[in-house]
Amino acid sequence: MFFTVKDIQKRREKLGSKWNEILRDDEAVLIYSGEPVPKPGGLDQHYPFIPHPAYYWLTARRREDEIVLYNKNTGWVEFQKEFTIEQAIWEAEKDDLLVSEPGLNINHLKDYLEKQKFSSVYNLGQTSDIIVGKAFELRTMLDQTRRKKDEAEIKLIKHIAEIAAFGYKEIERILKPGMSEREIQIAYESVIFRHGSHTIPYDTIIGCGTNAAILHALPTRKIIREQEFVLVDAGADVFDYCVDVTRTFPSTANISSQHKDLYQLVLKTELECIEMTKADTFWRDVHAKAAIMLTEGLYDLGILRGNMQRLIEKEVISVFFPHGLGHLVGLRVRDTGQEENLEPKHYFGSRLRVDIQLEQGHLITVEPGIYFMQALLDSPDVQKKFKEEIDWLELEKWKHIGGVRIEDNVLVTEAGNENLTLCVPKSAEL
Ligand code: GLY
Ligand code: MN
Ligand code: MN
């Protein structure tokens, strides 16, 4: 058991007191764990059930069709699902139910709601309702509270990082030319499963050579060659908590100085951005720092040319770094996200969904990268727009490298920050 009754109580108290600021006595909030999703055309088959993260966070229970309700007078009321004989025949009782006061039977929910005569009930868990008005405000409060990781969550995430570290060390140990991307995936995943990962938090990303330029490259049978990069973006997961880590490995020690220069640029940018990941800092400023450092780095390497101010203003870096610097992570790979940010703005050509001011307890990925993406570099629009800014001839010499990304999960702390995935080794030869 990773969470105690006390952990859950503390979360409920924190959130309840926030909600009390706007919730009336006769209103209630309801959080539904969700229903199993059937596989298309699959008789009696469902996708593995994942409880709505807010429900899991508030109950540490993982059953479908359950509800936790909050009202100022009643406090938190759980409506739980009975474990049926039918279920006992086909599946074992889940071993992860929190040992707390038994709740009410979910079958009594309708009667309960009728008796209480709430003026409004806001659905914030698994729902197809469009969340607007007061429900939107309540969900924002929920997300903002959940975004600050508590001690029990941090402890679990550190444990998961150690699991991922076993997988990455295995890659370091076995990686050699002649292996396929798939073989690396199988080696990594078998090790993390053996060390306690329940599942993978997202499809493991592995790209060698030019495949490293594909942001979400799924591992293929492509054979790793000498002197190339192998980009691995892989996590580990326990009860939907996870880490999201990227490392870029050289396939052989005699990697070219071009590879090394590019790697060092991304690494330097990552370390500087981690340094900036502190309370009160605006995330967009950290993203901007990465964009500027990478622009300067590509200029120094001769890939960009002209006036630095102009290169920055024209946002040419969006051709080589076309994604945001990071996202909230923890309970799921995109944690609370920032659903309250309805119209995400673009900074340096990237749409930043997470446009927050960092606070103590936030856990965010820092993942700069430089990629030579065929699709972007071949685009006539890009070629026209950046005809002067990119040294297209020089660029030809770099395309085979594919790309580099380095990603860590950084917790904002009172003293500054803590890199929770520091235990995952970074390439020594580079
Ligand atoms: N693993 C996908 C990502 O880094 O967002
Ligand atoms: Mn990742
Ligand atoms: Mn990520």
Side-chain angles (χ1 to χ4, degrees):
M1 182 56 62
F2 292 99
F3 301 120
T4 64
V5 174
K6 210 155 173 225
D7 295 328
I8 300 300
Q9 270 168 357
K10 275 199 254 168
R11 292 177 193 171
R12 289 179 177 187
E13 273 161 27
K14 227 186 284 170
L15 181 58
S17 68
K18 261 247 93 358
W19 277 348
N20 287 348
E21 291 169 15
I22 61 167
L23 209 57
R24 293 206 319 249
D25 283 2
D26 61 349
E27 294 176 316
V29 182
L30 190 151
I31 295 184
Y32 177 44
S33 69
E35 60 186 347
V37 180
K39 291 187 181 175
L43 281 184
D44 293 338
Q45 289 197 6
H46 294 85
Y47 290 106
F49 177 71
I50 303 175
H52 190 279
Y55 179 81
Y56 183 59
W57 185 77
L58 284 163
T59 64
R61 292 173 65 88
R62 305 186 60 77
R63 289 227 185 119
E64 67 274 14
D65 290 325
E66 292 196 334
I67 276 171
V68 60
L69 175 148
Y70 181 76
N71 163 267
K72 262 185 173 175
N73 300 322
T74 62
W76 297 90
V77 185
E78 287 190 52
F79 293 87
Q80 298 168 349
K81 193 171 153 122
E82 200 184 342
F83 191 68
T84 61
I85 293 177
E86 175 78 359
Q87 278 175 305
I89 293 170
W90 289 96
E91 51 191 271
E93 171 77 290
K94 287 188 176 144
D95 63 359
D96 50 270
L97 300 182
L98 193 66
V99 188
S100 61
E101 299 278 304
L104 303 174
N105 189 306
I106 188 76
N107 297 331
H108 299 153
L109 178 71
K110 200 160 160 255
D111 290 348
Y112 183 91
L113 292 177
E114 271 169 19
K115 217 159 69 205
Q116 292 284 340
K117 296 196 175 60
F118 294 122
S119 64
S120 302
V121 176
Y122 302 103
N123 292 318
L124 300 188
Q126 191 61 43
T127 174
S128 53
D129 294 356
I130 295 169
I131 298 189
V132 287
K134 194 158 181 174
F136 186 87
E137 277 182 74
L138 290 161
R139 190 196 48 195
T140 301
M141 287 174 158
L142 164 65
D143 286 352
Q144 288 173 344
T145 310
R146 217 158 64 62
R147 218 168 267 164
K148 293 184 195 165
K149 297 287 160 254
D150 60 35
E151 271 174 37
E153 290 177 298
I154 295 164
K155 191 168 163 223
L156 175 56
I157 293 165
K158 283 182 175 172
H159 167 68
I160 298 168
E162 295 286 347
I163 296 175
F166 280 113
Y168 276 95
K169 284 174 191 159
E170 179 67 1
I171 295 179
E172 270 197 330
R173 196 179 71 78
I174 61 162
L175 177 64
K176 60 172 193 285
M179 295 180 84
S180 69
E181 294 170 345
R182 275 280 290 157
E183 279 176 273
I184 300 294
Q185 175 200 7
I186 292 163
Y188 175 85
E189 291 181 3
S190 61
V191 166
I192 62 158
F193 284 132
R194 244 180 252 129
H195 281 88
S197 193
H198 289 177
T199 180
I200 47 172
Y202 53 90
D203 287 338
T204 298
I205 296 163
I206 301 186
C208 67
T210 50
N211 281 358
I214 304 166
L215 295 179
H216 286 176
L218 298 181
T220 67
R221 292 189 307 184
K222 187 175 174 194
I223 299 294
I224 297 164
R225 293 181 315 188
E226 304 230 341
Q227 284 191 297
E228 65 178 15
F229 275 149
V230 182
L231 187 152
V232 179
D233 181 344
D237 171 304
V238 174
F239 288 138
D240 306 331
Y241 279 85
C242 68
V243 293
D244 174 8
V245 184
T246 307
R247 295 290 182 259
T248 304
F249 298 92
S251 63
T252 44
N254 62 344
I255 197 93
S256 77
S257 61
Q258 269 183 298
H259 282 85
K260 286 185 186 176
D261 288 346
L262 203 67
Y263 184 90
Q264 288 302 331
L265 168 61
V266 175
L267 179 63
K268 188 172 72 170
T269 305
E270 198 224 11
L271 296 178
E272 188 99 6
C273 290
I274 290 177
E275 181 63 30
M276 272 182 82
T277 302
K278 290 189 173 148
D280 301 331
T281 303
F282 285 93
W283 183 242
R284 68 178 89 98
D285 292 341
V286 193
H287 177 81
K289 178 76 183 172
I292 292 168
M293 281 186 76
L294 294 172
T295 308
E296 289 171 348
L298 291 189
Y299 177 88
D300 291 343
L301 293 176
I303 297 170
L304 299 181
R305 62 188 174 192
N307 175 276
M308 181 55 59
Q309 200 50 36
R310 171 113 182 109
L311 295 177
I312 290 170
E313 274 164 21
K314 226 176 150 185
E315 301 183 339
V316 61
I317 199 61
S318 61
V319 178
F320 303 94
F321 173 47
H323 59 73
L325 180 65
H327 51 87
L328 294 156
V329 65
L331 178 44
R332 307 267 185 92
V333 64
R334 298 284 185 278
D335 198 334
T336 53
Q338 195 194 6
E339 286 189 87
E340 70 267 31
N341 182 12
L342 294 177
E343 284 178 40
K345 292 198 181 69
H346 282 74
Y347 301 96
F348 288 91
S350 296
R351 185 172 159 272
L352 288 201
R353 158 81 68 189
V354 177
D355 195 357
I356 54 175
Q357 192 169 15
L358 297 171
E359 291 177 54
Q360 193 181 325
H362 286 175
L363 180 63
I364 195 154
T365 69
V366 177
E367 48 179 310
I370 287 287
Y371 316 90
F372 302 106
M373 296 180 175
Q374 199 72 43
L376 276 180
L377 300 179
D378 286 353
S379 148
D381 288 347
V382 169
Q383 290 183 357
K384 191 164 153 224
K385 186 168 176 195
F386 299 113
K387 186 166 179 291
E388 295 308 322
E389 289 78 10
I390 295 174
D391 186 331
W392 294 92
L393 241 134
E394 174 65 24
L395 181 62
E396 284 304 314
K397 301 182 205 153
W398 293 82
K399 282 183 178 171
H400 67 285
I401 293 181
V404 177
R405 176 165 67 254
I406 308 174
E407 175 175 26
D408 280 292
N409 301 175
V410 180
L411 178 73
V412 179
T413 62
E414 200 182 349
N417 64 52
E418 184 180 355
N419 180 354
L420 300 191
T421 49
L422 196 63
C423 56
V424 180
K426 285 178 180 147
S427 293
E429 288 107 2
L430 291 161

